[in-house]
Amino acid sequence: MDKTVSDLATAVAGIEDGMTLMIGGFGGSGAPIELVHALIDRFRATGSPEGLIVINNNAGNGRIGIAAMIDAGMVAKMVCSFPRSADPRAFTEKYRVGQIGLELVPQGTLAERIRAGGAGIPAFYTPTSFGTDLAEGKPVAEFDGRMYVQERWLKSDAALIKAELADTMGNLTYRKAARNFSPLMAAAARLTVVQASKIVRPGGIDPEQIVTPGIFVNRIVEVADAQQEEALMRAGVAYG
Amino acid sequence: MDKTVSDLATAVAGIEDGMTLMIGGFGGSGAPIELVHALIDRFRATGSPEGLIVINNNAGNGRIGIAAMIDAGMVAKMVCSFPRSADPRAFTEKYRVGQIGLELVPQGTLAERIRAGGAGIPAFYTPTSFGTDLAEGKPVAEFDGRMYVQERWLKSDAALIKAELADTMGNLTYRKAARNFSPLMAAAARLTVVQASKIVRPGGIDPEQIVTPGIFVNRIVEVADAQQEEALMRAGVAYG
Amino acid sequence: MTEKLTNAQIAWRAAQDIADGAYVNLGIGFPEMVAKFQPPGRQAVFHTENGVLNFGESPPEGEEDWDLINAGKKAITLKPGAAFFHHADSFAMVRGGHLDVAILGAYEVAENGDLANWSTGPKGVPAVGGAMDLVHGAKRVAVITDHVTKDGRPKLVKRCGLPLTGVGCVTRVYTSLAVVDIESQRFVLREKLPKLSLDVLQAVTGAELLVDGTIGDLIVPEV
Amino acid sequence: MTEKLTNAQIAWRAAQDIADGAYVNLGIGFPEMVAKFQPPGRQAVFHTENGVLNFGESPPEGEEDWDLINAGKKAITLKPGAAFFHHADSFAMVRGGHLDVAILGAYEVAENGDLANWSTGPKGVPAVGGAMDLVHGAKRVAVITDHVTKDGRPKLVKRCGLPLTGVGCVTRVYTSLAVVDIESQRFVLREKLPKLSLDVLQAVTGAELLVDGTIGDLIVPEV
């Protein structure tokens, strides 16, 4: 079994119009910039994929990564907890004129909904957001004298993930706080695509240290010197 | 901050009559034999703790560990998925004459209920057990055309856990499949007590490799040459 | 009905349907035997509920590491690319639909896909383990079983009489006499022992066997 | 009301109530300042929602590792004993009641413990982050805030007018003028600036301040 693919274009093949797409990362940490840009390249060449629903903690930063997807007109809706980042122009401009949708989800609920999607838990109760505008229309229930909001799982057609090490079977480690949502998204997506700084043979990662077991991963592509979104943004880089 | 205690008796102090106690391990792997035996020692010396509700995948094996607790008469009820182990005499004898209770929980539901307890999720839905005797009396609901059973979180007054490495702040690693329920129980208990093969200074475990962060741990005691339940059982050892 | 497949032969037949690279959970006991019979060139990744992916055979006696066991508490070994994880992650794999196949034993399988394999009734100590999770998680849930009980009663039945493990979950049954799919709540016969007549097979089956297209010959080597 | 505490002084006061070894989450922005003012001999363990426990100060400019950031996306460093974990585990810590204290900013705090700190209304792009989880997770949820808004209106109110972050969640408020507990859905005054009269303080507070025992002097060094 070898899940390695040779290039970024192959890695993101099969992500089509209207799909729901989870993208790992919290701000710039863990953002799979090269995979996202490969998807933008395809859109520029073919006009597809568009109409995407993108799930990420934020809604893009500067003119790169998810922000560049939004700029390019590929994103119909963002599902996120914090669309106001350091430089949220791309999202804000389209949101103000009604050209992009937003489902705002508290960060812990977003994480837990994605985790539930991967774990086969269709719904759960959380105290988070009870009594607030974000709980409107959701079922509530009392347990042990306290009120809770029912939340539904989140799944996706595909996930784009940035890992540190991968073995060819798809076992993954992450680098520092770049881990964030990625292990959850890997499990919640039908097609999980990973860019890893290095791909090693099976056995090249200690079984104790694997964070995402390969069962959750479909494709891996090596991106040895991956770009860092935060650095690109601070350098004022725009993609395309 | 130093969560280390000097001996096993101190480690299990505060576990009192009638408490709910999670005990890590799946069969013999990960069973914190020394902590369990320290609790039995106290019971033999003082008559307490008794009337315990014990949560573990199994219901003891041979005449050691949880089985020895049951033999000693400390356990009012087991919450487990598989009370029939290689040598389940201790539980079976008391169960047949109605001297011990049993709440039978499917293994994945047991894991998820404990995980929910640690994560502040009071209830969740699972497809597991729908339409079976084990779902009797539980609320059911339909999501996306499929039926699910509502399950409640499991929390406990205390947890006894076996780790491999611990640092003095309570960060833990485990050894191979001895991990099993322990990271979940550490989070779901009010008082989490850990026996570790080795205790190191903070920074002595790579932050990437910590499985249980110290926030979930209250006390650590070093047990350098911990006994292996399976080996003891095969040797026919009885505790006490 | 003197001629029937041995357990090993049933396991062999089930193993032929497992694709290379499939993620597979084998139930405790008889189903564990399936791992031995993977066709050459194919390598499945085996999952055990207690937190290991890609484990291999048992170590030689005396070399067991009792921290490295499977769900049946047997000592195992690791293959390259193995991973450890905790029980919640393990059952996320199960319940979340990440396993390609689960192969389980059965007391009874009903034509509506219901499975009974965890309790023979109120006597004794009940124990369920991970069976109820597995039947609702894997993409394909298959059963391997003798076609009839030790005293000759059908194990493929109209409706289960024993306590259920899961509702409508089984899609294929490999027996000592036949391979039967469950489709639209009916048994559909796919293969049978070549010398066995349909009538004789039907007589030891507790619900109607539909025939939909050709019935293949169930031919299994000595194993 | 010319005399009031600076933000740093409010943060200093809040820091005095954090025990040695406490697990603490500080909200983005102003609350982050609390970390600087831990009393000598005490060391809290700071948690950030994006998956780090026991982080320390920012690195010098130019030495940032942008894979090592806090919830405010600022570069951080690690202390010995730090740990990384994913977002679901991070919010298990939050929601599961494992944090001892969360200290957050506020637009409004009501005498019933309701907090509004995420939205100033329908205009602009809404963003909530982890605030709604934090207010229902930590064992103690405290707020640090100026006592009044920039245009002089009370931030401690009878009922919040802005969209809520959480219901009945705040137990203590550190302001530029006072320390106020919330008990049985009422504001209870614990400390005030020594020269400030109760009447003047009440006049800039949007709900009644109860007095229960002595009112301490809120004395804070220049920081």
Side-chain angles (χ1 to χ4, degrees), chain B residues 89-104:
Chain B
R89 277 178 295 171
F91 178 81
T92 305
E93 288 163 7
K94 284 216 158 38
Y95 182 77
R96 289 224 165 106
V97 295
Q99 286 177 359
I100 195 165
L102 172 65
E103 180 180 349
L104 191 71

Side-chain angles (χ1 to χ4, degrees), chain A residues 112 115 119-127 143-144 148 150 152-153 174-177 179 207-211, chain B residues 112 115 119-127 143-144 148 150 152-153 174-177 179 207-211:
Chain A
E112 191 67 12
R115 193 257 166 200
I121 303 293
F124 60 88
Y125 289 92
T126 174
F143 297 99
D144 308 333
Y148 295 88
Q150 188 193 95
R152 295 296 312 278
W153 61 14
Y174 300 89
R175 186 168 179 276
K176 303 188 178 180
R179 188 182 303 194
E208 304 273 14
Q209 294 173 20
I210 289 165
V211 176
Chain B
E112 191 67 12
R115 192 258 168 201
I121 302 293
F124 60 89
Y125 289 91
T126 174
F143 296 98
D144 307 332
Y148 296 87
Q150 187 193 95
R152 294 296 313 278
W153 62 14
Y174 300 89
R175 186 169 179 275
K176 302 187 177 180
R179 187 181 305 194
E208 305 272 14
Q209 294 172 20
I210 289 165
V211 176

Side-chain angles (χ1 to χ4, degrees), chain A residues 17 29 40 51 94 97 175-176 184:
Chain A
D17 292 356
S29 62
I40 295 174
K94 284 218 158 38
V97 294
R175 186 168 179 276
K176 303 188 178 180
L184 315 173

Side-chain angles (χ1 to χ4, degrees), chain A residues 22 55-57 79-81 103-117 121-130 132 134-135 138 148-155 181 184, chain B residues 115 119-121, chain D residues 49 87-92 94-95 128-136 165:
Chain A
M22 292 176 177
I55 302 173
N56 177 271
N57 187 65
V79 179
C80 60
S81 90
E103 180 180 350
L104 191 70
V105 184
Q107 194 173 137
T109 298
L110 183 63
E112 191 67 12
R113 289 178 65 192
I114 298 169
R115 193 257 166 200
I121 303 293
F124 60 88
Y125 289 92
T126 174
T128 301
S129 92
F130 177 75
T132 76
L134 295 192
K138 294 181 178 172
Y148 295 88
V149 179
Q150 188 193 95
E151 294 282 356
R152 295 296 312 278
W153 61 14
L154 272 175
K155 299 190 180 206
F181 287 89
L184 315 173
Chain B
R115 192 258 168 201
I121 302 293
Chain D
E49 296 96 295
H87 248 85
D89 283 350
S90 184
F91 280 89
V94 171
R95 203 191 302 102
V128 64
M132 284 191 184
D133 304 280
L134 284 164
V135 298
H136 285 302
T165 307

Side-chain angles (χ1 to χ4, degrees), chain B residues 4-236:
Chain B
T4 307
V5 297
S6 57
D7 58 81
L8 289 158
T10 309
V12 299
I15 297 173
E16 305 298 347
D17 293 355
M19 281 188 171
T20 297
L21 186 59
M22 292 175 176
I23 301 182
F26 180 90
S29 63
I33 290 287
E34 284 77 6
L35 287 174
V36 171
H37 288 179
L39 209 55
I40 295 174
D41 292 346
R42 175 147 63 89
F43 174 76
R44 292 221 172 102
T46 69
S48 176
E50 61 170 4
L52 298 170
I53 298 171
V54 173
I55 301 173
N56 178 271
N57 187 65
N58 305 103
N61 226 341
R63 297 292 185 191
I64 46 171
I66 293 172
M69 284 179 73
I70 293 170
D71 274 337
M74 298 166 69
V75 183
K77 181 176 149 187
M78 290 297 310
V79 179
C80 61
S81 91
F82 207 81
R84 288 200 310 253
S85 51
D87 179 3
R89 277 178 295 171
F91 178 81
T92 305
E93 288 163 7
K94 284 216 158 38
Y95 182 77
R96 289 224 165 106
V97 295
Q99 286 177 359
I100 195 165
L102 172 65
E103 180 180 349
L104 191 71
V105 183
Q107 195 174 137
T109 298
L110 183 63
E112 191 67 12
R113 289 178 64 192
I114 298 169
R115 192 258 168 201
I121 302 293
F124 60 89
Y125 289 91
T126 174
T128 302
S129 92
F130 178 76
T132 77
D133 295 353
L134 295 191
E136 260 175 38
K138 293 181 179 171
V140 297
E142 184 178 328
F143 296 98
D144 307 332
R146 192 171 169 193
M147 295 302 295
Y148 296 87
V149 179
Q150 187 193 95
E151 295 281 356
R152 294 296 313 278
W153 62 14
L154 272 175
K155 298 190 180 208
S156 72
D157 297 299
L160 304 182
I161 299 295
K162 183 181 188 177
E164 179 66 1
L165 290 182
D167 70 22
T168 53
M169 297 178 75
N171 293 302
L172 308 178
T173 68
Y174 300 89
R175 186 169 179 275
K176 302 187 177 180
R179 187 181 305 194
N180 56 69
F181 287 90
S182 297
L184 314 174
M185 290 177 169
R190 201 168 39 74
L191 172 70
T192 296
V193 180
V194 176
Q195 63 170 78
S197 299
K198 192 172 178 195
I199 300 178
V200 299
R201 70 180 197 293
I205 310 175
D206 181 345
E208 305 272 14
Q209 294 172 20
I210 289 165
V211 176
T212 293
I215 191 171
F216 297 128
V217 171
N218 301 94
R219 292 181 197 154
I220 321 147
V221 60
E222 188 169 287
V223 179
D225 297 301
Q227 299 175 89
Q228 170 51 258
E229 185 183 274
E230 186 76 20
L232 292 179
M233 193 196 63
R234 285 167 183 251

Side-chain angles (χ1 to χ4, degrees), chain A residues 197-213:
Chain A
S197 299
K198 193 173 176 194
I199 299 178
V200 300
R201 69 180 197 290
I205 311 175
D206 180 346
E208 304 273 14
Q209 294 173 20
I210 289 165
V211 176
T212 294

